[in-house]
Amino acid sequence: MARRAALEISPGMVVNLGIGIPSLVPNFLPPDMHVMFHAENGITGMGATPHAGEEDEALCNAGGFPVTVVPGASYCDSATAFGMIRRGRVDLSILGSLQVSGKGDLANWIIPGKKVPGMGGAMELASKAKKLIVLMSHTDKAGNPKIVDECTLPLTSGRCVDLVITDLAVFKVSNQKLILIEHRNTSSVEEVAAKTGCTFEVQDNVKKVAY
Amino acid sequence: MARRAALEISPGMVVNLGIGIPSLVPNFLPPDMHVMFHAENGITGMGATPHAGEEDEALCNAGGFPVTVVPGASYCDSATAFGMIRRGRVDLSILGSLQVSGKGDLANWIIPGKKVPGMGGAMELASKAKKLIVLMSHTDKAGNPKIVDECTLPLTSGRCVDLVITDLAVFKVSNQKLILIEHRNTSSVEEVAAKTGCTFEVQDNVKKVAY
Amino acid sequence: MGKLANSFHKIAALNQAMEYFQDGMTIMFGGFGGVGSPPALIGAILEKDLKELTLIGNDTGFPEIGIGKIVSRGMARKVIVSHIGSNPVAGKLMNEGLLEVEFSPQGTLAERIRAGGMGIGAILVDIGLDNEMVIQGKQQFILNGRDYLVEPALTAEVSIVYARKADPYGNLIYDKSARNTNPLVAMAGNYTIAEVEEIVPLGALNPEEIVTPGVFVDMVIPTCGVNWKWAWE
Amino acid sequence: MGKLANSFHKIAALNQAMEYFQDGMTIMFGGFGGVGSPPALIGAILEKDLKELTLIGNDTGFPEIGIGKIVSRGMARKVIVSHIGSNPVAGKLMNEGLLEVEFSPQGTLAERIRAGGMGIGAILVDIGLDNEMVIQGKQQFILNGRDYLVEPALTAEVSIVYARKADPYGNLIYDKSARNTNPLVAMAGNYTIAEVEEIVPLGALNPEEIVTPGVFVDMVIPTCGVNWKWAWE
């Protein structure tokens, strides 16, 4: 999934990555691509994870884990870091999610009665990044679809998802319509349909891909 | 007047000076007094005027004239410079004025129909500096009082003046009442009253001073 | 003290700083996931065993990292934060009704703190308008036909921040991403205490590189260094 | 170009910058009394003889200094500034009805520009509530029993700023008090052009000292240096 998401990144972009699988995306980028990775705590230009023993406790990403910086990086306060997001200067945000609706609604911040961790910076990223990609497993641990007609979990932000990448398929959301554009070569449109909680269009030249 | 105003400055203060006579106040301070002079364009810690030929076009006060900085000085953007004012971190503002009312109203920004230069930073300074001192001539060029019952010119800010220092006298404003606390030894309470456009109390131990 | 003359009377010891803390007060803290939070001040607050605090900052850290140590011991009555996800003890206290949590979207929270520091009453943002938890208790305002939330400024009786260097005027510079919310929190305190790794003489900091002007800082104390183990260690 | 490889395609020449300017547009400019305003960009706008501009910035400079050169030649239909006191030609044009002037208190104006840059809709301030000219056309809002003015954010189609150094990503540092409004204006432009004294290789600027992250900067052009005589000269 991270490999597939990396294909959406172009040179010069400012990219914010959520915790978990999204944080693996840089591993699949060519070197010298001149992409600036942005962190909510105030880093523009994050680089690779430092080698063990070379961590700097004062240089961590928004998840609190050690990072490095690339040439051209800068530090700012958190207000400015979010100003970049709200002003539309972050080109791409790649987040995990609990549910996504066929209209592009995102629900990734609480499970009522179970887990109420707070929204962190997800609302700003979801509603203000120029493009929002969701990376998530196609179904939950119990096998229930995570792509649904209407989110049953509280929304982080409505009508904000542009692309959904799962372990089975890739959908784009266009004018609040879900369109299957790729599926795994080990799967089929029928399997994807069976494991998806809402209807979707199938693009004419839907691709079978290995990733 | 500038010499008298300098007496109001204590060590450690953050002080903003308006253009004109107020800008002369630092000349009457003892050295090493550890006062930080603040400028709206983003300087904290302005020092003396540079010697001719040593001016730096990138180091000017809010009036656009070359300055120097003292050890401990810093630069910030104008928004932060005004944040210091609005947050009440500027201890003292010394401004010139066109009129002051006996209640402490300040009118120093426009003469309707004649001069409408804009308020610049005067409104923030007048209403938010912890203490506001006005330095001005006691009367205008035509001999009319500049301290009046009600300002006839549009207000910059109401009920904001704490101390008025003129070429004749010093008044404090306390609970919207004007109180004469000093006058020049070459003048008298009667002369001050004759040249003032409103009534005022005379402090018991009113001082005669030479300045 | 030679060059380090305490000419602005801002350099002090930890015990002097502690005179500013009391039960029931509002404290704002710098830091992001514990990174950039002041360890000595947090340790001293723990030791003083304060009660009924209101804490304002990015998050509740981890149970034994940063402000989390205070929250985990039940010393806070209320927190205003963007998340408590990394501190399960905070979640437990919340669910038991022992801790009131006001969630604010992270960027909104940062701006509310800055607004407090800048003497601004509130900001209008369009973040979270479709979210019940965010709009709860907030007023809305229509400007040029668009809906906004009125997000009130935040200030605190005391702000505590962590910085790399200070001079005797309290000018501060930070260390990489440990800067995070510290410059904002430093401005928002009615009284601001900076815990710093190094105190340098007046004039030793380049005026261009100073991030927090000393105008906003009332007291500077030396740090003992970070005394907790990071999650990644 | 060796180390100065234009890897983000932001370094350009003045004539390329001029493609972004046209009649009737809104331009925001950095500078304070002309100090810190970009001379080459102002010169090129003059040469292009643009009409009906709306200009937003701290002040209208002096008649032959900074943005004043553009205002004095009648190229602006409207200015949003805190004062025109140092530019009598602006005052004359205003009195003749040839120039619309929206006055904003200086600190409010700076925050409105910053709010634009930060994607905030407006700020609530209590400055100028008793002043007819300030409250004119503004909405008011009562928060916690206190009156505030709703001061809308300002943005511009193009922002022009002046900086001491840039790297190929457009990271900027400024020169002393020539910083003034530039970092705010740099963030508020839909397209931001920085005129700089020196372009240094990527990595040559210390990440700690960068004032404006290149994220906000779309184009970097080299300056010809200040080409006007200062009032104090």
Side-chain angles (χ1 to χ4, degrees), chain A residues 1-2 5-6 9 17 21-29 37 94 135:
Chain A
M1 287 192 272
I9 298 179
L17 302 174
I21 302 175
S23 69
L24 304 175
V25 170
N27 300 330
F28 300 99
L29 287 180
F37 288 103
I94 307 182
L135 285 197

Side-chain angles (χ1 to χ4, degrees), chain A residues 50-66:
Chain A
H51 295 293
E54 292 176 11
E55 298 93 348
D56 179 346
E57 62 186 33
L59 183 48
C60 291
N61 63 20
F65 285 85

